Amino acid sequence: NRWLTCRSLPPGALERIADTVADRLRVPWFAGAVKINVSLVPPLVLLPVFLHVAALHFLLGLVVLTSLPVVVLWYYYLTHRRKERTLFFLSLGLFSLGYMYYVFLQEVVPRGYVGYSQVVALTCGLILMLAALSRAKKDPGYLPIPASNEKSSHQVLPNKSVRGSSNGLHGVTVSGAASGRAVNGEAKGYSRMSAGEPEGVKKDWCAKCQLVRPARAGHCRLCGRCVRRLDHHCVWINSCVGEQNHQAFILALSFFMLTSVYGITLTLHTVCRGRTPFVALFYCPGAYSDYSSALSFTCVWYCAIVTAGMGYILLIQLLNISYNVTEREARLALRDNTGRRLLGGLVIDTGQYNRGFLCNWGHFLSLGSSPPQRSAEDIV
């Protein structure tokens, strides 16, 4: 009615309409209608459409494959700025894997250049990657929330003493709470303190969760929880990466890289006969001779773009592990100017936990194997 009469909408009307549509978007089911998350819809609908459009012509493929990463990065910064959790990236990743596997079986395998053993190897890699991803989606090492925090919470003020308890620690005095800027999900207003621990052991007070957290733990504002040895909040798994799931996260990335590179190699060997995979990726004259080859070649380029991005993430993770530094600690060190850039800025060495390459990797491989109360993460 307002559109027909050329009257402006009241403030917040579009947001309320969008919320109503998102709430009413449900599918019938035996136990009742199931609500569908709106962020799941775009990848399921737009990805096949864009890839099929890109397969129509070389120029269309260039435009689509260039615009897709830009749109994904824009949506990432939009959600990251608003501190919102979204299933968009997780659904995009999972559906991309499923659709690429479907195109491989439908368009590449029937040509007869891919053997049965190669299909089995690719399928096993995919299954192992999904298993590691499932493990990475579990508890990253959340600190238990005190029971008193469920009913009420109090604010930590500067130069004030606050009595509280957390994890069986009673009578802890917190003073001089800082109100520093939040970095990588770090909550504002926590104080560095000593809670009757041996000298050299540092703990934090989290004003959001109202608990004392061990060293290297951090508060994620997207999850609203404190996590042991918080590395970062990963939008691709829609969860934090911490002490309990960091190893599974690295495994998932590694299996993805191996499976993706292997699938790209098999497809290029089939579509571009007689050329090495690297050359065929940039020069394949017969790629657009028929629609099947064009679709396979477009999917290869899409996989190559995603693999390059994930490869960069994996490289940073491996370098951080080698220097025993988390992504959160690296960002805090950059903010406070307490770390030094190494390897062209790819890694930030804080020097606080670095004990050498072998010791650092041994420490990473032993994450989660000891009880949290006696974890080596609490010792500086």
Side-chain angles (χ1 to χ4, degrees):
N1 181 48
R2 289 180 178 271
W3 178 69
L4 294 175
T5 55
C6 298
R7 289 186 295 171
S8 61
L9 290 173
L14 293 178
E15 288 78 4
R16 290 193 297 271
I17 293 173
D19 292 339
T20 302
V21 172
D23 182 68
R24 296 294 186 269
L25 189 60
R26 302 169 184 264
V27 294
W29 199 246
F30 299 102
V34 179
K35 185 178 179 181
I36 300 177
N37 194 308
V38 180
S39 59
L40 296 175
V41 178
L44 302 180
V45 176
L46 297 180
L47 181 62
V49 173
F50 283 160
L51 291 179
H52 280 276
V53 171
L56 294 176
H57 193 271
F58 170 75
L59 294 179
L60 286 175
L62 184 63
V63 172
V64 169
L65 293 175
T66 303
S67 60
L68 275 179
V70 175
V71 173
V72 171
L73 287 175
W74 170 80
Y75 189 74
Y76 167 75
Y77 285 114
L78 179 66
T79 55
H80 191 71
R81 186 176 67 250
R82 295 179 178 177
K83 297 297 180 289
E84 297 176 349
R85 297 190 67 180
T86 175
L87 292 175
F88 173 83
F89 300 97
L90 179 60
S91 60
L92 175 63
L94 293 177
F95 185 69
S96 296
L97 287 173
Y99 191 70
M100 296 302 105
Y101 187 68
Y102 169 78
V103 171
F104 179 79
L105 295 180
Q106 290 294 115
E107 306 294 341
V108 179
V109 175
R111 293 172 178 257
Y113 297 107
V114 178
Y116 177 77
S117 59
Q118 294 171 319
V119 176
V120 171
L122 186 68
T123 305
C124 290
L126 186 62
I127 293 175
L128 290 174
M129 191 277 297
L130 292 176
L133 180 62
S134 176
R135 174 62 187 86
K137 282 285 296 175
K138 295 183 179 180
D139 182 13
Y142 291 123
L143 290 174
I145 299 179
S148 59
N149 192 32
E150 298 177 358
K151 298 181 180 180
S152 61
S153 61
H154 56 276
Q155 183 179 4
V156 180
L157 299 176
N159 301 325
K160 297 289 183 180
S161 296
V162 180
R163 289 285 179 181
S165 62
S166 174
N167 297 334
L169 298 176
H170 300 278
V172 179
T173 302
V174 182
S175 62
S179 58
R181 189 179 62 180
V183 177
N184 194 27
E186 181 69 16
K188 294 181 179 180
Y190 70 89
S191 62
R192 181 71 71 176
M193 55 163 289
S194 176
E197 296 291 332
E199 185 178 358
V201 178
K202 297 181 179 179
K203 290 180 177 289
D204 288 331
W205 171 261
C206 179
K208 296 291 184 180
C209 297
Q210 297 293 300
L211 53 80
V212 178
R213 60 192 182 195
R216 307 192 79 176
H219 183 89
C220 176
R221 287 186 293 175
L222 275 72
C223 296
R225 298 283 299 275
C226 283
V227 182
R228 288 186 175 275
R229 197 183 178 277
L230 175 63
D231 189 85
H232 69 288
H233 182 94
C234 181
V235 297
W236 293 105
I237 64 174
N238 194 33
S239 177
C240 288
V241 176
E243 183 178 85
Q244 298 297 323
N245 67 341
H246 202 167
Q247 296 173 350
F249 180 72
I250 296 297
L251 275 179
L253 283 177
S254 302
F255 281 129
F256 172 80
M257 291 295 298
L258 294 174
T259 305
S260 180
V261 171
Y262 187 59
I264 290 173
T265 302
L266 293 178
T267 304
L268 288 177
H269 273 309
T270 301
V271 176
C272 305
R273 301 292 298 170
R275 290 181 173 82
T276 61
F278 183 79
V279 174
L281 189 62
F282 296 95
Y283 181 71
C284 186
Y288 285 85
S289 59
D290 59 275
Y291 188 77
S292 176
S293 299
L295 180 61
S296 301
F297 189 73
T298 302
C299 291
V300 162
W301 258 106
Y302 175 74
C303 289
I305 294 174
V306 176
T307 302
M310 295 300 173
Y312 176 78
I313 295 176
L314 179 60
L315 175 62
I316 297 299
Q317 286 290 313
L318 295 178
L319 291 176
N320 285 344
I321 294 171
S322 300
Y323 285 89
N324 200 5
V325 62
T326 63
E327 187 68 22
R328 169 180 169 270
E329 291 167 349
R331 295 192 181 188
L332 290 174
L334 284 179
R335 185 197 67 178
D336 301 332
N337 197 24
T338 57
R340 59 192 183 107
R341 294 178 178 269
L342 299 175
L343 303 177
L346 290 177
V347 63
I348 307 299
D349 183 20
T350 62
Q352 191 174 10
Y353 302 99
N354 189 2
R355 298 295 182 268
F357 181 83
L358 294 179
C359 290
N360 292 339
W361 272 97
H363 172 73
F364 173 76
L365 295 177
S366 64
L367 286 179
S369 60
S370 59
Q373 291 81 1
R374 310 182 69 88
S375 174
E377 296 289 352
D378 298 343
I379 303 175
V380 180

